[in-house]
Amino acid sequence: MKRSVIFAGLTLLFIASVIGGLYLGYADLSLGEILNALSRGLAGKGGDDVAYAIVMDIRLPRVLLAILTGVALAVSGLIMQAVVGNPIADPYILGISSGASLGATLAIVLGLMSALGNVAVGISAFLFALLTSVGVMILSRIGGRATSERLILSGLALSAATSSIATLLVYTAKNRDAIREVNFWLMGSLSGAKMNQIAFIGPVILALCIFLATQSRNLNLLLLGDEVAYTLGKDLAKLRSAYIVAVSLLVGLVVYTSGTIGFVGLIVPHMARFLLGTNHRHLLPGVILLGASLLLWADVAARNALPAGELPTGVVVSVVGAPFFVYLIVKNSREVQP
């Protein structure tokens, strides 16, 4: 009964977050104008008035992208914490974000994949994120099975290498506009939301989340450790590889559209555990609702914080996430003390 009430509350929070994302902004639109614009857009009637343009071309794409990004990062964080057996792990622990950052830096500073036009940065980041995750899996299997400790160490090694290369490229770059663009991209933002991108990443994120939702028993088993799993006939190395591929795709799609937004994948799983317990059967739908709601409100704050312009969404999330991360470190350090 208690869990049903919590899920009902999370669902209402998500609905309120969507309404807030569509309603709150510099342009003062009534709910009636917003609903009218949405109904015309969904019916394919279109319109050339200001309200229709604001809702359908600006706010709706950002709301949808915030939902997809929040869901992808929250689910990825939950999976990675199970895969590496570390409660303060996040989707970027295996160096995926560093690989994406290198790809974006190469595209911005050196013009890699410039023939692809406006999507060059996102595609380059996506490909380098996947390459980094593949490198982590290969490196972690050298000389034995891909245990959680090997994965973390491999991720740290590749993260340091890719970060160093990206830093060197920025340091030696002479184009100040390129340096500014790299820094803004690394902060993460939903300002470039476009419906064609959403139509591309939406089905993939949905399919991956459905797949991971079917893995709740195996994810629970990961928490018991390798030795217990082997006695039950489960090969955790293969499971970890499959889940890392899924997380890499999710994170790669996020950095393709939004840059690197931190802390969502770290704090949302802990919020869900506090409310719903440790069973992944309940945690997965919980982090989906919480992740989407958190990023929706973060984006609302980002685009309304300044009188002119907006803050990167990743900066707003970090303001909340950084203190929470410190709290988790202190909490875990106390728990391991004799």
Side-chain angles (χ1 to χ4, degrees):
M1 181 65 181
K2 179 182 176 182
R3 192 173 291 119
S4 300
V5 173
I6 292 173
F7 273 116
L10 292 178
T11 302
L12 291 175
L13 173 64
F14 171 71
I15 294 171
S17 304
V18 172
I19 295 173
L22 292 170
Y23 180 70
L24 298 174
Y26 286 123
D28 188 14
L29 301 178
S30 67
L31 284 176
E33 289 176 309
I34 293 171
L35 291 174
N36 180 264
L38 288 172
S39 63
R40 281 186 289 157
L42 293 174
K45 295 180 179 180
D48 55 4
D49 54 292
V50 175
Y52 182 87
I54 291 173
V55 173
M56 299 304 297
D57 297 336
I58 299 175
R59 292 188 185 177
L60 181 60
R62 289 189 72 145
V63 164
L64 293 176
L65 184 58
I67 292 172
L68 292 172
T69 301
V71 167
L73 290 175
V75 170
S76 297
L78 179 66
I79 300 304
M80 288 312 303
Q81 288 173 11
V83 165
V84 302
N86 191 327
I88 57 174
D90 72 351
Y92 304 136
I93 193 171
L94 299 186
I96 299 173
S97 65
S98 298
S101 301
L102 175 59
T105 303
L106 287 169
I108 295 170
V109 176
L110 300 183
L112 182 68
M113 300 184 183
S114 57
L116 298 175
N118 295 332
V119 298
V121 177
I123 291 179
S124 180
F126 175 73
L127 292 176
F128 273 81
L130 293 183
L131 286 173
T132 303
S133 63
V134 171
V136 168
M137 287 190 289
I138 294 174
L139 190 60
S140 65
R141 291 182 175 182
I142 296 177
R145 290 180 175 271
T147 62
S148 58
E149 292 81 5
R150 286 174 172 270
L151 285 169
I152 293 175
L153 292 174
S154 301
L156 289 173
L158 287 185
S159 177
T162 52
S163 296
S164 299
I165 298 171
T167 302
L168 179 62
L169 288 171
V170 173
Y171 181 76
T172 56
K174 297 180 180 180
N175 187 337
R176 291 190 176 183
D177 290 335
I179 296 173
R180 190 179 300 110
E181 185 179 351
V182 169
N183 290 331
F184 186 81
W185 190 89
L186 292 177
M187 293 177 189
S189 175
L190 305 180
S191 59
K194 294 180 177 61
M195 291 302 293
N196 59 343
Q197 291 180 336
I198 293 166
F200 167 66
I201 72 170
V204 182
I205 290 176
L206 178 62
L208 289 170
C209 288
I210 291 174
F211 162 71
L212 292 171
T214 65
Q215 302 296 305
S216 57
R217 293 183 65 182
N218 288 334
L219 290 169
N220 289 334
L221 189 60
L222 284 170
L223 302 178
L224 300 178
D226 292 72
E227 294 182 0
V228 175
Y230 291 143
T231 61
L232 297 176
K234 291 288 185 179
D235 187 348
L236 292 191
K238 292 182 179 179
L239 288 176
R240 287 192 179 99
S241 297
Y243 299 151
I244 289 173
V245 170
V247 168
S248 300
L249 288 171
L250 287 171
V251 174
L253 291 171
V254 167
V255 298
Y256 164 66
T257 54
S258 312
T260 53
I261 298 177
F263 291 109
V264 175
L266 172 67
I267 65 177
V268 170
H270 286 275
M271 295 166 63
R273 288 190 191 95
F274 176 77
L275 294 171
L276 299 166
T278 59
N279 189 333
H280 284 83
R281 180 184 177 186
H282 307 128
L283 284 176
L284 278 163
V287 298
I288 286 173
L289 292 169
L290 280 169
S293 300
L294 173 62
L295 208 57
L296 279 165
W297 286 114
D299 187 53
V300 168
R303 52 190 164 94
N304 289 279
L306 300 178
E310 65 176 74
L311 290 172
T313 311
V315 172
V316 176
V317 178
S318 297
V319 170
V320 178
F324 192 87
F325 183 60
V326 174
Y327 163 75
L328 289 178
I329 293 176
V330 174
K331 179 175 179 290
N332 282 277
S333 65
R334 289 175 177 173
E335 288 178 352
V336 299
Q337 287 179 357

